[in-house]
Amino acid sequence: MGFGGISIWQLLIVLVIVLLLFGTKRLRNLGGDLGNAVKGFKKAMGDEEKKTDNEPEKLEKADEKVINGEATREKDKQ
């Protein structure tokens, strides 16, 4: 018995049918696209972790760029 009640022979028959329908070239391209998508996802997750690690430093640098000014109301101007 194979995976979840499906025998190995049934899996092989499904694999042969998929190969006949799509062909090896299309399946190879699909596999490459799927691999690139997984790599992109992992990279995005890594970038997000780096972003949260560097966030306090960015906040400290933002405090250095404070603009001094004075706020007045329209009623006070008249």
Side-chain angles (χ1 to χ4, degrees):
M1 189 164 277
F3 307 101
I6 300 174
S7 72
I8 293 175
W9 292 109
Q10 290 171 333
L11 290 174
L12 287 174
I13 292 171
V14 170
L15 178 65
V16 168
I17 292 172
V18 168
L19 283 173
L20 289 174
L21 287 175
F22 295 108
T24 57
K25 185 175 181 181
R26 185 178 283 174
L27 289 177
R28 189 179 322 123
N29 290 341
L30 181 66
D33 292 343
L34 183 63
N36 287 335
V38 170
K39 285 180 187 177
F41 179 75
K42 287 182 180 180
K43 182 180 177 187
M45 292 302 293
D47 290 345
E48 186 65 29
E49 289 176 5
K50 289 179 184 177
K51 182 180 176 183
T52 57
D53 291 344
N54 293 334
E55 212 167 289
E57 292 176 12
K58 289 181 182 178
L59 291 176
E60 290 173 7
K61 290 180 182 177
D63 291 339
E64 294 174 2
K65 297 180 182 178
V66 174
I67 299 173
N68 292 328
E70 183 179 337
T72 59
R73 296 184 183 188
E74 288 291 323
K75 294 178 184 176
D76 295 340
K77 287 183 179 179
Q78 294 174 354

